[in-house]
């Protein structure tokens, strides 16, 4: 088994999930079987109890596991089916160790972060890496592990220590560390700054891990002089410094990585039985990315939800719509509409917001109402659903959106004025949901 650990520096939300997914895609295109693990250092057992504004949407796996949205990226990029144990959290690890201690498995020893927590992390990774995730049910050959958060975070320390030990257990030819860092470009000078990356790599080395590849994220393409400076100050060869600037779509990222010789590097570094050239799968990927950028026809969809301030709250809905649009050669224009802004109360408080929201809704080609919890904003969703039905606009209700469509039909077509879901009104005479 080969292990590729992806760590992040400088800031969180730098794109480690897309980098990890893209690396997996490239290796899968070379004919290798790839699996993925996401480590989240928070103490929650899983992502199921999070507000969508904390970490974006909760991604639900086939086995019912409620996990981080990065596992959704892995499944989409790699075309695999992951399990709840592919998402490791501090809460899961501590719960596992405490259960063993209560059972007497440690034979009276003092249970500590080192070695018991760190050993549990390593065992979990080694066991889960072997679980088949493809349709052919064969054991994976490569495991891409993404360590959430930022190097230096206090809650991530036990995991970093676990992998410091693990690199020796796995042996050098089977373990590789990729560090994703930020190269900012302040407007005042317009100069790309390498100091944050230098400090981040120094912190990583101080904790006992040395990066094999440094992936530099930036707003604009990075100059060669910057690459050489990072190479010199971070003690790596220039070819070990990879640049990923902001691109029009995430589908470009595997292509940028491949163009910078990452296949050749992995082949040598991990002694992989692959060719230097990309396969047909990556060629198809390139064609798809080019096609995505050349789309001219636009399809506008109004997403009427409650958590519209953060687009990651509806990541899977957005991706499903985007893939569907791409399949029929349309560019998706997804308009996020806060359902509370469609309500009469908003008209009284802020008529500009109210009319802007309705203007967006009216010009959409279709309307999608996604899931949600609690009564806030449901009246606005019902208004949008009623408008879609009466104006014969294409409509899709998902989860709560589907339930509210039933409520709307019962109220306005069957004249059951108090029709409702028992979630919102336990005493309704017409509990249609």
């Amino acid at each position: 088994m080969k292990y590729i650990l992806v760590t992040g520096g400088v800031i969180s939300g730098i794109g480690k999930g897309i980098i990890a997914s893209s690396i997996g895609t490239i290796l899968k295109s070379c004919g290798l079987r790839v699996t993925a693990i996401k480590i989240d250092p928070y103490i929650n057992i899983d992502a199921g109890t999070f507000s969508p504004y904390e970490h974006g949407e909760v991604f639900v796996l086939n086995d019912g596991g409620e996990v981080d949205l990065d596992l959704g990226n892995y499944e989409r990029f790699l075309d695999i089916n992951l399990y709840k144990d592919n998402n490791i959290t501090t809460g899961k690890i501590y719960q596992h160790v405490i259960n063993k201690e209560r059972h007497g498995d440690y034979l009276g020893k003092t249970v500590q972060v080192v070695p018991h927590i760190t050993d549990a992390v390593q065992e979990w990774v080694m066991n889960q890496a072997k679980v088949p995730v493809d349709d052919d049910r064969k054991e994976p050959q490569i495991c891409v592990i993404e360590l959430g958060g930022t190097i230096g975070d206090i809650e991530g320390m036990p995991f970093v220590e676990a992998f410091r030990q693990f690199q020796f257990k796995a042996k050098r030819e089977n373990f590789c560390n990729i560090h994703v860092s930020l190269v900012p470009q302040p407007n005042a000078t317009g100069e790309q700054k390498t100091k944050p990356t230098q400090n981040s790599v120094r912190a990583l080395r101080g904790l006992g891990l040395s990066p094999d590849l440094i992936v530099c994220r930036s707003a604009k393409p990075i100059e060669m002089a910057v690459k050489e400076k990072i190479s010199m100050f971070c003690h790596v060869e220039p070819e070990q410094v990879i640049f990923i600037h902001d691109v029009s779509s995430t589908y470009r990222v595997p292509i940028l990585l491949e163009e910078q010789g990452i296949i050749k590097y992995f082949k040598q570094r991990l002694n992989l039985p692959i060719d230097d050239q990309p396969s047909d799968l990556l060629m198809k990927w390139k064609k798809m990315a080019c096609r995505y950028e050349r789309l001219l026809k636009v399809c506008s969809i109004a997403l009427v939800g409650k958590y519209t301030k953060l687009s990651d709250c509806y990541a899977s809905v957005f991706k499903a719509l985007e893939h569907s649009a791409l399949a029929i050669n349309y560019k998706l224009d997804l308009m996020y509409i806060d359902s509370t802004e469609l309500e009469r109360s908003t008209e009284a408080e802020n008529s500009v917001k109210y009319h802007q929201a309705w203007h967006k809704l009216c010009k959409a080609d279709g309307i999608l109402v996604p899931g949600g919890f609690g009564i806030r904003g449901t009246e606005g969703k019902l208004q949008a659903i009623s408008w879609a039905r009466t104006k014969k606009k294409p409509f899709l209700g998902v989860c709560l959106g589907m339930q509210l469509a039933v409520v709307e039909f019962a109220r306005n077509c069957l004249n059951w004025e108090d029709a409702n879901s028992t979630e919102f009104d336990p005493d309704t005479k017409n509990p249609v949901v």
Side-chain angles (χ1 to χ4, degrees):
M1 179 67 69
K2 309 287 183 182
Y3 300 92
I4 297 172
L5 175 68
V6 179
T7 55
V10 185
I11 59 169
S12 59
I14 201 168
K16 296 188 299 296
I18 298 294
I19 300 290
S21 303
S22 299
I23 286 163
T25 300
I26 290 168
L27 293 171
K28 187 163 184 175
S29 78
C30 296
L32 298 166
R33 294 187 300 279
V34 183
T35 187
I37 290 173
K38 171 73 193 288
I39 296 174
D40 286 301
Y42 48 67
I43 294 173
N44 303 58
I45 299 295
D46 59 31
T49 55
F50 279 140
S51 154
Y53 286 136
E54 287 285 319
H55 286 264
E57 75 166 13
V58 174
F59 189 78
V60 183
L61 300 169
N62 280 6
D63 65 357
E66 296 175 331
V67 294
D68 187 86
L69 59 81
D70 276 321
L71 277 85
N73 281 326
Y74 305 154
E75 288 205 347
R76 283 186 286 267
F77 270 72
L78 297 168
D79 192 21
I80 54 179
N81 283 315
L82 297 171
Y83 302 92
K84 62 174 182 269
D85 285 347
N86 286 81
N87 192 192
I88 302 173
T89 68
T90 296
K92 282 183 181 178
I93 292 293
Y94 273 78
Q95 188 178 58
H96 172 72
V97 170
I98 290 167
N99 287 343
K100 285 180 75 173
E101 184 274 329
R102 293 287 85 190
H103 194 251
D105 292 359
Y106 296 116
L107 304 175
K109 284 195 169 66
T110 305
V111 180
Q112 296 174 287
V113 173
V114 182
H116 301 104
I117 295 294
T118 53
D119 282 354
V121 172
Q122 293 172 63
E123 283 167 25
W124 194 306
V125 167
M126 285 190 293
N127 291 337
Q128 199 58 31
K130 294 174 186 172
V131 176
V133 289
D134 287 311
D135 291 337
D136 62 10
R137 312 308 300 158
K138 288 184 180 174
E139 189 177 304
Q141 296 163 290
I142 291 189
C143 181
V144 181
I145 306 153
E146 180 194 341
L147 176 57
T150 311
I151 286 299
D153 290 349
I154 193 165
E155 64 263 31
M157 292 297 185
F159 294 103
V160 176
E161 172 58 22
F163 286 107
R164 183 197 70 75
Q165 298 171 19
F166 187 67
Q167 65 187 329
F168 302 109
K169 190 182 285 185
K171 304 284 190 294
R172 178 175 162 74
E173 65 273 14
N174 299 323
F175 183 87
C176 175
N177 176 219
I178 297 169
H179 191 59
V180 185
S181 183
L182 177 71
V183 176
Q185 192 169 359
N187 290 332
T189 59
E191 186 186 358
Q192 289 170 329
K193 297 293 186 183
T194 64
K195 190 62 73 179
T197 298
Q198 292 177 43
N199 289 338
S200 182
V201 171
R202 188 182 299 121
L204 184 66
R205 283 216 169 89
L207 296 168
L209 284 171
S210 212
D212 296 285
L213 286 175
I214 299 171
V215 176
C216 298
R217 288 280 292 107
S218 62
K220 294 175 183 172
I222 294 177
E223 297 148 16
M224 196 63 200
V226 177
K227 183 172 189 164
E228 287 165 358
K229 192 174 180 182
I230 290 170
S231 163
M232 180 170 67
F233 284 105
C234 295
H235 196 64
V236 292
E237 296 286 344
E239 59 267 25
Q240 290 171 267
V241 182
I242 306 282
F243 295 151
I244 302 291
H245 57 272
D246 292 350
V247 284
S248 57
S249 87
T250 52
Y251 309 124
R252 272 272 156 220
V253 177
I255 297 159
L256 284 175
L257 289 167
E258 187 267 322
E259 284 170 353
Q260 294 178 66
I262 203 165
I263 294 178
K264 187 179 178 184
Y265 179 79
F266 278 134
K267 183 183 177 183
Q268 293 169 345
R269 175 67 182 77
L270 294 173
N271 194 22
L272 298 173
I274 55 175
D275 297 325
D276 287 350
Q277 296 304 313
S279 70
D280 291 344
L281 184 63
L282 210 55
M283 296 308 290
K284 284 180 186 173
W285 192 279
K286 279 183 184 176
K287 284 178 186 171
M288 180 188 71
C290 291
R291 188 158 64 90
Y292 180 87
E293 284 159 11
R294 288 199 300 264
L295 296 172
L296 298 173
K297 295 182 287 184
V298 177
C299 176
S300 60
I301 302 293
L303 188 147
V304 183
K306 288 165 62 173
Y307 318 112
T308 52
K309 291 188 185 76
L310 181 67
S311 59
D312 269 356
C313 294
Y314 300 110
S316 291
V317 173
F318 169 66
K319 289 295 179 188
L321 288 169
E322 187 182 47
H323 294 173
S324 305
L326 180 58
I328 54 169
N329 295 318
Y330 271 80
K331 181 163 267 182
L332 174 70
D333 172 24
L334 188 62
M335 300 180 291
Y336 292 96
I337 299 173
D338 189 329
S339 58
T340 57
E341 291 177 8
L342 298 172
E343 295 174 359
R344 288 285 178 198
S345 57
T346 302
E347 185 181 19
E349 293 164 15
N350 190 332
S351 61
V352 175
K353 259 187 182 178
Y354 175 80
H355 289 295
Q356 282 174 343
W358 273 103
H359 177 68
K360 270 191 196 174
L361 188 77
C362 293
K363 69 177 185 179
D365 296 316
I367 296 167
L368 190 146
V369 179
F373 297 93
I375 199 159
R376 183 181 67 83
T378 52
E379 212 51 49
K381 290 183 179 184
L382 285 166
Q383 295 278 354
I385 292 163
S386 185
W387 191 86
R389 181 179 57 76
T390 53
K391 300 296 180 187
K392 295 190 166 31
K393 283 277 181 184
F395 164 80
L396 176 63
V398 179
C399 192
L400 179 65
M402 182 277 292
Q403 295 179 27
L404 290 177
V406 175
V407 171
E408 190 279 331
F409 185 85
R411 285 183 186 178
N412 298 324
C413 294
L414 304 179
N415 296 319
W416 297 351
E417 288 180 14
D418 74 331
N420 214 330
S421 164
T422 53
E423 181 185 344
F424 307 127
D425 183 2
D427 303 319
T428 177
K429 290 176 185 169
N430 291 297
V432 289
V433 181

